[in-house]
Amino acid sequence: MSMQTPAPSSLIIPSTRTIINLVIGGAIGLFVWECWARLFTPLIVGYPLEPAGLLDALAQHLAGLNLPRLFREAVHYGIGLVGYPIIYFAVSRHVPRWPVILDAIVIITFSFSIFRDISAGMFTPAKFMFLTAVIALVFSRLINRDERIANCISWGNFTWFFALGLMAPIAGLSFYLLGEGGELSYMSLVGHVIYGYLAALVFEKLEDRQKPAM
């Protein structure tokens, strides 16, 4: 099923029902993310994913502040429930060919980070396999017959870029956290793809139910 994008000049304001659907999608995606981050990730790499830690690094690096953990966790949940879903709505409804644009951002920035590691003598076979996995995931849309599923995966990829390719460097951490070995980055990729995919897909399916039958 195609996800149509309106002309950029037509500003679409979400209805109350649409906002509720966005939050429901975000809640389901966030629940699965939490299971992945706090239950499964420690079993694989020995420690959980800590989005609140990234927020702490941002506050300390930019303003020298030590934010209370409860506040950081609240911000994390707010972003997952409302922040990312609202950005998804704005992008998917107002940016032509948005999945292609987001995929290009992920491929270009992550490839740059890997090749920069190579030039710095920090390249490892595991990182090359990581790059191969990301490229394969992005280009899976070429064989995916369901455009909606492909687009939702693209959104999940972008949430990973936003967290580790954009926010992490701003917080003074390595690009995509590859300087920490890459294990954390890989687990974050899986978690963000699952989160973004579910949040977008659930929202779109809920929106379909609101459309009058033709």
Side-chain angles (χ1 to χ4, degrees):
M1 182 180 295
S2 175
M3 298 166 68
Q4 298 296 323
T5 302
S9 59
S10 58
L11 179 63
I12 300 177
I13 305 299
S15 65
T16 300
R17 181 70 255 178
T18 292
I19 293 175
I20 292 173
N21 290 341
L22 286 167
V23 173
I24 291 173
I28 292 175
L30 189 58
F31 173 77
V32 178
W33 158 270
E34 289 295 312
C35 292
W36 173 258
R38 303 183 193 273
L39 297 178
F40 292 100
T41 297
L43 297 176
I44 299 172
V45 298
Y47 48 86
L49 293 172
E50 292 281 1
L54 177 57
L55 294 171
D56 187 42
L58 275 167
Q60 290 191 28
H61 185 70
L62 296 178
L65 297 176
N66 290 308
L67 300 177
R69 183 175 181 84
L70 182 61
F71 176 79
R72 288 184 278 126
E73 291 289 352
V75 172
H76 159 61
Y77 286 114
I79 292 172
L81 287 171
V82 180
Y84 276 138
I86 289 295
I87 296 173
Y88 169 78
F89 179 85
V91 170
S92 65
R93 268 50 180 181
H94 296 94
V95 180
R97 297 181 62 80
W98 63 270
V100 175
I101 294 173
L102 300 190
D103 283 345
I105 291 173
V106 171
I107 285 292
I108 292 171
T109 57
F110 190 61
S111 296
F112 169 79
S113 67
I114 291 293
F115 289 121
R116 189 175 66 172
D117 273 10
I118 293 175
S119 64
M122 298 171 56
F123 177 76
T124 65
K127 289 181 180 179
F128 178 76
M129 293 174 63
F130 191 1
L131 176 60
T132 302
V134 171
I135 292 174
L137 182 61
V138 168
F139 283 95
S140 65
R141 70 165 44 251
L142 298 178
I143 59 174
N144 194 334
R145 296 183 178 180
D146 191 319
E147 185 182 4
R148 171 170 287 179
I149 289 177
N151 291 348
C152 291
I153 291 174
S154 294
W155 176 247
N157 288 335
F158 181 76
T159 64
W160 174 61
F161 157 77
F162 189 86
L164 299 192
L166 185 61
M167 292 294 104
I170 292 176
L173 303 174
S174 62
F175 203 31
Y176 280 103
L177 296 186
L178 290 178
E180 286 71 25
E183 296 86 358
L184 184 61
S185 183
Y186 181 79
M187 300 305 291
S188 180
L189 167 66
V190 176
H192 276 93
V193 169
I194 294 173
Y195 160 77
Y197 169 80
L198 288 175
L201 185 64
V202 170
F203 164 70
E204 294 294 350
K205 288 185 176 295
L206 289 174
E207 286 291 281
D208 283 348
R209 296 181 181 180
Q210 311 301 319
K211 296 177 181 177
M214 300 298 293

